[in-house]
Amino acid sequence: MGFSNLYAQDVDVDSTKTNNTQRVTFSTIPNNREASLKPYYEALKNATFGSQRFSVFEQLAELHIKKGNTDSILHYGNLYVKELGNWEKPDSEKHLHYARAHYFLGIGSHFNGLLDKSVEWHIKGLQDAESANSNEFQYKNKIGLAHNYILKLESDKALEVLTKAILDFGTEFPDLTIKSIIFIGNAHLAKQEYELAKNRYDEALRMATDFKDFEKELSVKLELGKLAEAQENYEKAFQDYESVRNQALSNGFTAIYFEGSLLLAKLYYKEELYKMANIALSFAYINAIDRENLQFQREALIIQARSFAKLEDYKNAYAVMTQLFGINNQINTKQQREIIKELEIQYETLEKEKAISDLEEEQIEKTAELERQKTIKNAFLIGFLIILIPIIALLYVYYQKIQTQSELSRKQEEINIQKVASLKQKQELDLIKASMEGQDEERKRIAQELHDSIGGNLAGIKLQVSTLTSESNKWKEINGQLDETYQLVRDISHTLIPEKFKQRAFSDLIREYISSISRSGKLKIGFHPHPEADLNAIDEKTQMELYKVIQELMTNALKHAEADNVDIHLSLLNNELSLLFEDNGKGFDVLEVKEGIGFENIRSRIKELNGKFHIDSSKNRGCVISIELPVKTTSHEI
């Protein structure tokens, strides 16, 4: 049948509805499946049993899903399952194929209104997909489950399934994610959460447009029409349904065309345009019959019966109800047939297992005969083995001895390497200690020089000041001595500061020291200064003392803590410097263990700087040492 343009005002309707002028196009779809699917049927004839035929089954099932050919979907799904049962392969290779076959059976059952059966098939498909580690068919079967839950008015259950599925597989399969988002919108629509539904539909439409998936675009627009209808925006709903069904028809998306036609007819019924609804339903019903889609037939007949009843045409209403009973019987028969088919497959599987068992018994008899012959041959070998076994035992003992010696040599080599590393570490510690002792000696020398030279000059100035008169020559001498004293102080202060503290930034000196310690690779040291520029600007005396404190702490960590990881945090805030030294060594009980010379030296240095020193440690928990110092920033010049 070709296209027919019908107008609402051309149909005899109630007088209150005669002002409607909406244009609607109804049509039937010629069933050209034989022509369009002929290449697939030819491929199926030529395909070898197994993977090749399974591939053609999958392609045919997908095409029939798009066209809404329910019986064909179920036919190829059942054929897929039956041939899988006869496929001589281990279960590990069958799981993925079963996941696909059960998915198609779930879709076919859904189209026929067998929602519980559809749920059962999708659950089986999901289990098989999990066994096969197939993310794609886990996702597809979860989407199928959620679609059934929505129609069974279990929207919360559907939302839970879809939300988790998108988290697990959404990025990997964006085309399936569009469908998932559409169904999430449907679930919100069923719960009358219109704003949430609208947001989801808009998101799905954007994705479908980006991926140029026109079929999904039409699906989303159809759902937007449902949303408009739910919000009583009937004009928009009419427009969406009519536009989508026409575009679906032009592009061969039969399932979408069916649904759009049925929604349009239902909307006419809701608007009390019963004759228009009956016309739309008649065309939808013809298309559903042609495509063997019992679910659409059932829904069309339900609304049509109500429309005739509203028009008080009880004769036609009764006739439609009679057809509806027939469709319901067909659905129930199909459900029973599905159960019978499933039992037949199970029976065939049992028969096959019995045949395999008979073959196994025959194989056992043959194996027994071979074993008897082997026993005779083995008798001749036993004597030879009696002689050979002691020789093998001796060789084995000799081999074990060689292996033991090799293992001992390897362990001795490891011990030697450890000893060498220990000696190197001891030498490094001795060098560090010698360096610190040299620095202390240099400090004593400078202190002596300060006492002898500057002290003498200052004493002379004091005597002269005490006998000071107004003579100008005296003032000149005093000024000269003052200049000389100032220069001495400046020179000595420069000798007091080691050359490396003048030329290098403080943070770089610590990094260089850490690098020399961690070069062996046995100790991992982290250094975290903040803010680094401000830390490099603190006075040189504090820098030197802090450097020596870090050296002493590192020596303790290497010598006593047996640590393999150290973190040093230096921070400066509001003229207060904080040093946090943490290691993951064996630790100690601060109440039981007496502090050694190292910690006493550190406490002495910190005390001279008016700082605070705290130890937090316990056995097998490492050690944390915190130091806080009041500081001021300065330069190297006096």
Side-chain angles (χ1 to χ4, degrees), residues 13 40 136 227 274 314 380 398 577 585 616 618 629:
V13 295
Y40 296 96
E136 179 184 3
L227 177 61
Y274 303 123
Y314 300 113
F380 291 101
Y398 180 69
L577 186 144
D616 180 14
S618 62
L629 300 174

Side-chain angles (χ1 to χ4, degrees), residues 278 285 301-327:
N278 277 337
Y285 182 63
L301 290 173
I302 289 171
I303 302 300
Q304 198 167 33
R306 293 175 183 172
S307 296
F308 280 123
K310 290 289 186 180
L311 292 170
E312 298 182 359
D313 186 352
Y314 300 113
K315 181 178 179 180
N316 278 326
Y318 176 77
V320 171
M321 287 300 294
T322 303
Q323 289 177 287
L324 179 60
F325 290 142
I327 295 299

Side-chain angles (χ1 to χ4, degrees), residues 2 86 153 183 199 236 289 317 397 513 542 606:
N86 296 322
L153 303 180
F183 286 154
N199 293 338
K236 184 180 184 309
I289 291 173
V397 170
Y513 170 68
T542 304
I606 299 305

Side-chain angles (χ1 to χ4, degrees), residues 110-133:
H110 176 90
F111 279 159
N112 264 344
L114 308 176
L115 300 184
D116 291 333
K117 190 64 182 176
S118 178
V119 168
E120 180 184 341
W121 285 127
H122 283 306
I123 289 174
K124 285 183 177 180
L126 181 57
Q127 292 169 344
D128 290 318
E130 289 172 350
S131 299
N133 293 320

Side-chain angles (χ1 to χ4, degrees), residues 542 545-550 552-553 569-572 576-581 599 601-603 605-607 609-615 624-631:
T542 304
E545 293 298 328
L546 204 56
Y547 185 82
K548 291 173 185 177
V549 166
I550 291 173
E552 190 69 49
L553 292 173
H569 295 268
L570 265 179
S571 59
L572 180 61
E576 182 172 271
L577 186 144
S578 173
L579 168 63
L580 188 68
F581 186 96
F599 279 140
N601 288 340
I602 294 172
R603 285 191 183 278
R605 293 181 189 278
I606 299 305
K607 187 175 181 181
L609 296 173
N610 298 319
K612 298 176 182 179
F613 177 73
H614 178 71
I615 303 173
V624 178
I625 295 171
S626 62
I627 296 171
E628 295 178 358
L629 300 174
V631 298

Side-chain angles (χ1 to χ4, degrees), residues 437-451:
E437 289 175 353
Q439 290 176 359
D440 289 340
E441 288 297 324
E442 181 67 11
R443 288 169 61 86
K444 289 180 182 178
R445 184 190 69 76
I446 293 171
Q448 185 65 38
E449 189 172 349
L450 285 170
H451 179 271

Side-chain angles (χ1 to χ4, degrees), residues 204-255:
L205 187 59
R206 285 194 300 271
M207 290 182 66
T209 304
D210 292 341
F211 285 99
K212 296 181 172 58
D213 191 335
F214 189 58
E215 183 179 5
K216 298 288 192 315
E217 283 187 47
L218 293 180
S219 295
V220 178
K221 290 176 180 178
L222 200 61
E223 301 304 330
L224 286 169
K226 293 180 187 178
L227 177 61
E229 182 179 348
Q231 294 177 306
E232 298 183 356
N233 187 352
Y234 297 138
E235 182 178 355
K236 184 180 184 309
F238 272 119
Q239 292 172 357
D240 287 347
Y241 294 156
E242 178 66 7
S243 172
V244 169
R245 62 188 289 279
N246 287 333
Q247 292 181 73
L249 177 66
S250 302
N251 289 274
F253 303 133
T254 314

Side-chain angles (χ1 to χ4, degrees), residues 578-595:
S578 173
L579 168 63
L580 188 68
F581 186 96
E582 182 177 4
D583 68 61
N584 66 343
K586 62 184 181 180
F588 58 90
D589 191 332
V590 294
L591 299 177
E592 295 180 1
V593 178
K594 185 177 179 181
E595 292 183 1

